[in-house]
Amino acid sequence: MQDSHTTAAHHPAFQHHFETMEQQRQASTLGMWLFLITEILFFGGMFTVYLVYRNWYFASFAAGSLTLDVTLGTFNTVVLIGSSLTMALAVHGAETGKRGMLVGFLILTILLGATFLGVKAVEYTHKFEEHHVPGPSFRFGSEELRHFHEEATMLRSTQIHGVELGEVQLFFSLYFAMTGMHALHMIIGIGVLSVLVWKARHGRYSPEYFAPVEYAGLYWHFVDIVWIFLFPLLYLITRHVGVHP
Amino acid sequence: MSTAVTTAESIHRRRHYLNADYGIRSWLLTTDHKRIALLYLFSITFFFALGGLFAVLIRLELLTPAGDMMTSDTYNKVFTMHGIMMVFFFLIPSVPATLGNFLIPMMIGARDLAFPKLNLASWYLFMVGGMFAMYSVVTGGIDTGWTFYTPFSTTYSNTKVIPAALGILIAGFSSIFTGLNFIVTVHRMRAPGLTWFRLPLFVWANYAASLIMVLGTPVLAITIVLVFLERAFHIGIFDPRLGGDPILFQHLFWFYSHPAVYIMILPSMGVMSELISAFSRKRIFGYTFVAFSSVAIAVFGFLVWGHHMFVSGQSVYAAMVFSILSYLVAIPSAVKVFNWTATLYKGSVSYQTPMLYAFGFLGLFTIGGLTGLFLAALGVDVHVTDTYFVVAHFHYIMVGGVIMGYLGGLHFWWPKITGRLYPEGWAKLSALVIFLGFNLTFFPQFVLGYLGMPRRYHAYPEEFQVLNVMSSAGASILAVGYLLPLFYLLWSMRYGPEAGPNPFDARGLEWQMASPPPTHNFEQVPIVSEEAYAYHTAQEVPVAG
Amino acid sequence: MSGHVVPLKVYFAIFATLMVLTAVTVRVAFINLGPFNAAVALGIATTKAVLVILYFMHVRYGSKLTWVVILAGFFWLGILLALTMTDYITRSLPHLPT
């Protein structure tokens, strides 16, 4: 069936059920965005659960949140936003036909993503050591609770009623579900970017055709946006407990 | 209209999508939307038969008041697997994955869906999901009900919850990709001149259903993931022992699963619009209203899920909000029914098989819809919750509505799909048998439910027996009605007379090409210059609008 | 492509803004604003997300349809959150007199 359509541009990536390369590009862009909004609603389910439980169990969520390491969280936020910048620059390289720029920044993005995951692994290891992982072996020791109550009693906030072990466990369930699902998306993203590096080095992309790079970029930025919300919700939002107004 | 096609050529001599290639590989690796539609057709027929088998077991058990055929545990598994097979592996893919897949590209003048490989991947995901669900069935079954309510599903059930849940998760991705593919195709692949308001209403309806697939299914996916995590790793997201809220699961579950009913019914409504206009030879009355009512149903459908939870323990104020919002859905649904009826008015109606199904749909869907209003009313619902009244209501929508539309559409486009005509006499007989069997099965259940017979029990008081025997008798008639098409449609594939491109003299791009269509549908992309359903002869004045 | 190549300095400016906002949100988290802490944190996060969507993801130069798709995604998330919360914020209210 090849070459039966006279209007077709003869780019190797052109698929012949489309009329033009432009139509193909518009279709796949729309498809990518639709995929991303399914991701919004996928993560949205967990954000809903978080919203409900945080409102119910504010003190327990604060207690759980205070055990997270803000320094590592902030570091990871900077790393991930940085990787979004390098991703945007990689797409720019593809747009302008600079293969070196494309490949270089793709590799840099992968490295930053791996750094993020490495830090995440360190954090998870801590949580395992402290038995903060929900399940039969979950413990939230008197040490952490005393620390929390000392800080909380200094506060006049009426929101603090008390910390329940089960509720703290709910916080950590959500912490692991949300960051775990986010990390899974990053691992997939790194896989996709690795394929792109290989293909870009073989000159598959040009200013006429770089859609896969563009879509991988959209996906990467989306994963970044999820973290932009996870970071304050999990690490920051109850830090002020224990700080004088 | 059909001048573009030479009818003289026999099916055997002409190249078309069925004989373009032979062998199992050419089917399993195909990216042709028409072949993928057939793959779906065979798969969902299998799952329908499996779900039907469980329905037979249910009706056999309920023939007598005592729970004498199976234990209550077995009965729990049987109705659960009936629900899972029917809902997730038959009803949701039924019309869109088969007829939608086959027809949408042709109706809009495209050579294929926007993403043919993704389309094939959808089918594989569907089959893998189906395999997981089947694995759950053959290794002991699952007894949570198709709704997977927590904490039973996460903590207390000793059955194969995880494989069934994973199966639904995987099949859900199939549904998402199908919806995504349809939306992009309708936006980006329409032939020149085919504006939104010239689209067949079948396309509008599938577009609206696709919106739900794309926007709703991800929430089901994450909900299943959370149930999986809770069951596998005991992390307790919905576990009340930790302070978790099982009702929160129900919110997330019904956020998808109520709109899912509209994933099922909307494409069948689309079929209805095609059938009614083709067999009354008139343009659909109030085309734009019918088109927008599909989108309105898709949107309103997301605002009403709480009416499944009136007695769950959710806030009574939320229940009131959901009760009021539920009535909203009645508006676009009624718009459709009134407009179809108005289309019949002064039409030259012919009572061919697809039209018989359309009439069946009209009556049964109306009964199902009106009893839905009873259930949306908070005060009434409290009394009939979890009774057979609910069971009867949703079977009127899902079987009386969805399957009537599905079978009507399958008959209507069967000549296009296979190039051959089905035997009209047998087809009319089966439509009649299905209609009678259906009503005998499910109407007594309204009465049973109103009298207070609860659902999901395998034993019941003796005074309910007469109605239950009627229902079981109806089910056996219904089974015969469903088996008949299986035989005569298969028979017609070999022995049916050749249909020619347009046996019903219907309008629409799909009828302008040969039956069966060539692999790439259109050699030259058509240019559309008239509205949909231009059923008027030269003497008549076309309806404006 | 979208017919619009974003100049590099835009990317750097956006990145710098995102960094500043990150610093601000961490700093503010340690100041007790009572109930406003959550509002500020979410406000800043939303601003950051919008910047990423508009510039890094090129939506500012994208088609109208892209805007509609994104807004639909967030609108539906809004439905999920809002109608779920109608239950949770009213559950502890006393029932109506019967």
Side-chain angles (χ1 to χ4, degrees):
Chain A
M1 283 311 294
Q2 246 116 31
D3 303 308
S4 64
H5 315 304
T6 47
T7 49
H10 288 272
H11 194 279
F14 180 71
Q15 294 171 300
H16 285 265
H17 62 290
F18 291 108
E19 281 297 284
T20 60
M21 198 72 186
E22 174 65 12
Q23 186 192 31
Q24 176 178 340
R25 201 193 57 74
Q26 286 188 346
S28 43
T29 303
L30 178 59
M32 188 63 205
W33 277 106
L34 285 168
F35 172 70
L36 290 182
I37 65 167
T38 69
E39 292 274 28
I40 293 177
L41 283 145
F42 183 80
F43 280 96
M46 286 189 287
F47 281 107
T48 309
V49 177
Y50 174 90
L51 179 66
V52 168
Y53 290 159
R54 184 183 174 275
N55 278 331
W56 271 5
Y57 307 131
F58 180 80
S60 303
F61 268 49
S65 169
L66 285 174
T67 67
L68 299 179
D69 190 329
V70 182
T71 316
L72 288 182
T74 311
F75 175 77
N76 253 353
T77 307
V78 173
V79 167
L80 204 53
I81 294 178
S83 79
S84 251
L85 175 69
T86 56
M87 188 69 231
L89 295 174
V91 173
H92 186 91
E95 277 174 325
T96 50
K98 293 172 188 149
R99 196 193 295 181
M101 184 179 179
L102 168 61
V103 173
F105 277 112
L106 280 179
I107 292 173
L108 200 52
T109 310
I110 292 173
L111 290 177
L112 287 169
T115 311
F116 178 95
L117 288 173
V119 173
K120 207 76 228 151
V122 170
E123 288 187 84
Y124 277 11
T125 314
H126 277 300
K127 292 283 139 208
F128 270 99
E129 286 164 3
E130 292 166 358
H131 291 276
H132 284 173
V133 181
S137 64
F138 180 77
R139 274 213 317 268
F140 198 71
S142 51
E143 193 56 29
E144 288 117 329
L145 281 175
R146 197 174 66 240
H147 172 71
F148 172 74
H149 281 295
E150 276 168 10
E151 291 194 331
T153 44
M154 297 195 301
L155 183 74
R156 284 173 300 161
S157 170
T158 51
Q159 287 169 301
I160 309 291
H161 291 304
V163 179
E164 294 287 337
L165 201 61
E167 298 163 6
V168 180
Q169 198 170 338
L170 282 182
F171 172 82
F172 283 111
S173 295
L174 281 171
Y175 168 78
F176 279 102
M178 293 169 108
T179 56
M181 207 48 85
H182 177 259
L184 179 67
H185 276 76
M186 293 208 48
I187 292 168
I188 294 169
I190 288 176
V192 170
L193 293 187
S194 307
V195 175
L196 290 185
V197 168
W198 188 81
K199 287 195 165 180
R201 287 175 63 128
H202 288 75
R204 299 283 175 82
Y205 305 118
S206 62
E208 289 78 46
Y209 175 74
F210 60 96
V213 182
E214 198 186 353
Y215 304 145
L218 291 178
Y219 175 84
W220 193 265
H221 297 308
F222 171 81
V223 176
D224 185 23
I225 288 173
V226 173
W227 181 258
I228 283 177
F229 283 98
L230 287 182
F231 172 56
L233 288 178
L234 295 172
Y235 288 77
L236 294 181
I237 215 159
T238 47
R239 280 297 145 181
H240 60 284
V241 170
V243 179
H244 283 288
Chain B
M1 277 275 82
S2 51
T3 47
V5 181
T6 43
T7 48
E9 270 185 301
S10 147
I11 291 177
H12 301 290
R13 292 222 314 274
R14 199 170 48 75
R15 286 290 260 186
H16 50 76
Y17 82 102
L18 288 171
N19 67 7
D21 207 347
Y22 292 99
I24 193 87
R25 268 177 64 94
S26 77
W27 283 88
L28 292 181
L29 298 178
T30 184
T31 53
D32 181 351
H33 65 101
K34 299 182 287 299
R35 285 188 163 212
I36 294 170
L38 287 189
L39 291 176
Y40 268 115
L41 182 65
F42 292 122
S43 337
I44 69 167
T45 305
F46 171 76
F47 288 118
F48 180 56
L50 194 62
L53 196 65
F54 288 121
V56 168
L57 293 176
I58 292 172
R59 283 322 317 170
L60 275 177
E61 169 65 298
L62 294 179
L63 208 52
T64 57
D68 40 15
M69 196 179 104
M70 51 184 108
T71 64
S72 50
D73 283 340
T74 312
Y75 185 75
N76 289 345
K77 290 179 184 172
V78 168
F79 74 70
T80 298
M81 293 184 291
H82 167 67
I84 289 176
M85 287 298 160
M86 287 299 194
V87 169
F88 293 107
F89 295 97
F90 174 68
L91 288 166
I92 286 180
S94 60
V95 176
T98 57
L99 296 174
N101 235 330
F102 195 93
L103 292 165
I104 287 175
M106 287 196 266
M107 283 181 163
I108 67 171
R111 292 188 191 91
D112 207 322
L113 289 174
F115 309 117
K117 283 181 195 154
L118 187 66
N119 197 18
L120 182 64
S122 293
W123 181 72
Y124 275 102
L125 283 171
F126 177 73
M127 292 310 283
V128 172
M131 291 304 124
F132 270 89
M134 297 274 293
Y135 171 80
S136 160
V137 171
V138 296
T139 55
I142 163 176
D143 66 349
T144 60
W146 74 277
T147 47
F148 289 89
Y149 273 13
T150 56
F152 184 66
S153 63
T154 50
T155 311
Y156 300 107
S157 173
N158 292 318
T159 53
K160 301 282 181 188
V161 177
I162 288 180
L166 287 181
I168 291 168
L169 175 74
I170 296 167
F173 283 108
S174 154
S175 181
I176 289 175
F177 291 141
T178 302
L180 188 151
N181 222 336
F182 285 179
I183 294 177
V184 174
T185 306
V186 174
H187 270 283
R188 295 297 189 212
M189 311 280 284
R190 297 191 314 275
L194 189 56
T195 59
W196 280 89
F197 293 102
R198 285 175 179 169
L199 285 175
L201 288 163
F202 179 79
V203 177
W204 272 97
N206 275 281
Y207 178 83
S210 305
L211 289 179
I212 305 174
M213 295 185 205
V214 167
L215 291 162
T217 320
V219 177
L220 177 76
I222 188 64
T223 313
I224 292 178
V225 168
L226 293 177
V227 166
F228 167 77
L229 291 175
E230 183 161 344
R231 190 171 170 92
F233 303 110
H234 310 288
I235 66 166
I237 301 238
F238 304 113
D239 189 346
R241 287 174 303 189
L242 301 178
D245 184 13
I247 298 173
L248 184 55
F249 166 84
Q250 296 182 22
H251 278 296
L252 294 172
F253 179 81
W254 288 115
F255 176 84
Y256 165 77
S257 293
H258 186 75
V261 178
Y262 303 117
I263 297 180
M264 304 172 199
I265 195 73
L266 273 167
S268 272
M269 289 171 155
V271 171
M272 279 294 289
S273 298
E274 302 299 315
L275 298 185
I276 290 205
S277 71
F279 293 102
S280 358
R281 314 221 54 77
K282 270 178 74 187
R283 187 172 200 257
I284 283 287
F285 181 85
Y287 171 95
T288 26
F289 273 88
V290 179
F292 279 126
S293 67
S294 290
V295 180
I297 287 174
V299 176
F300 293 165
F302 278 98
L303 309 177
V304 304
W305 78 77
H307 67 220
H308 293 267
M309 303 159 56
F310 283 160
V311 298
S312 69
Q314 79 173 332
S315 143
V316 73
Y317 299 98
M320 283 190 253
V321 170
F322 280 122
S323 178
I324 293 164
L325 289 174
S326 296
Y327 284 96
L328 277 181
V329 185
I331 299 168
S333 308
V335 164
K336 281 186 188 292
V337 171
F338 291 141
N339 280 310
W340 291 326
T341 318
T343 308
L344 295 172
Y345 179 68
K346 286 195 175 173
S348 55
V349 178
S350 58
Y351 297 89
Q352 299 180 61
T353 309
M355 192 58 160
L356 294 186
Y357 280 107
F359 280 125
F361 180 105
L362 262 185
L364 302 182
F365 174 75
T366 304
I367 295 175
L370 287 175
T371 50
L373 290 179
F374 295 21
L375 295 170
L378 185 47
V380 180
D381 182 79
V382 169
H383 293 281
V384 291
T385 291
D386 279 342
T387 68
Y388 264 86
F389 192 88
V390 178
V391 176
H393 156 69
F394 71 71
H395 280 90
Y396 264 79
I397 300 287
M398 285 148 94
V399 185
V402 179
I403 301 185
M404 283 284 171
Y406 170 68
L407 287 176
L410 198 60
H411 282 88
F412 184 51
W413 284 293
W414 189 255
K416 181 57 60 186
I417 295 171
T418 64
R420 292 179 185 276
L421 294 172
Y422 51 83
E424 181 73 16
W426 283 101
K428 275 185 171 154
L429 177 70
S430 85
L432 210 64
V433 170
I434 288 174
F435 184 80
L436 294 175
F438 174 84
N439 280 299
L440 188 58
T441 310
F442 292 105
F443 199 83
Q445 296 186 3
F446 276 125
V447 184
L448 281 170
Y450 190 75
L451 294 175
M453 178 168 160
R455 65 194 283 204
R456 296 184 170 179
Y457 283 84
H458 73 140
Y460 54 83
E462 295 212 352
E463 62 258 37
F464 293 143
Q465 187 171 13
V466 174
L467 288 163
N468 269 300
V469 168
M470 283 167 72
S471 182
S472 292
S476 50
I477 298 174
L478 192 55
V480 172
Y482 286 141
L483 284 173
L484 279 175
L486 189 65
F487 290 118
Y488 67 72
L489 287 179
L490 284 174
W491 177 88
S492 78
M493 283 173 83
R494 194 169 177 88
Y495 302 106
E498 291 193 20
N502 193 358
F504 302 111
D505 191 23
R507 300 293 177 267
L509 289 174
E510 80 271 26
W511 298 110
Q512 294 180 24
M513 64 182 74
S515 311
T519 298
H520 288 276
N521 300 351
F522 302 95
E523 277 309 309
Q524 292 269 286
V525 169
I527 294 172
V528 180
S529 57
E530 61 179 12
E531 58 188 20
Y533 316 117
Y535 287 106
H536 47 79
T537 54
Q539 293 88 347
E540 288 170 342
V541 181
V543 184
Chain C
M1 94 124 278
S2 325
H4 195 287
V5 177
V6 182
L8 286 182
K9 63 173 190 233
V10 173
Y11 289 139
F12 292 117
I14 295 299
F15 176 72
T17 316
L18 290 172
M19 287 294 107
V20 171
L21 287 172
T22 304
V24 170
T25 192
V26 173
R27 183 69 198 90
V28 170
F30 289 90
I31 303 168
N32 195 340
L33 304 172
F36 293 105
N37 276 88
V40 171
L42 283 175
I44 291 176
T46 308
T47 314
K48 287 161 79 177
V50 168
L51 287 175
V52 172
I53 291 173
L54 286 183
Y55 292 96
F56 283 176
M57 297 171 95
H58 296 174
V59 169
R60 193 168 159 212
Y61 318 100
S63 69
K64 239 185 235 146
L65 188 60
T66 311
W67 284 80
V68 171
V69 169
I70 297 167
L71 289 177
F74 284 105
F75 179 74
W76 254 261
L77 178 59
I79 292 177
L80 174 61
L81 292 171
L83 280 176
T84 305
M85 289 320 278
T86 57
D87 177 11
Y88 288 91
I89 58 180
T90 58
R91 211 185 268 182
S92 55
L93 292 182
H95 285 195
L96 294 172
T98 46

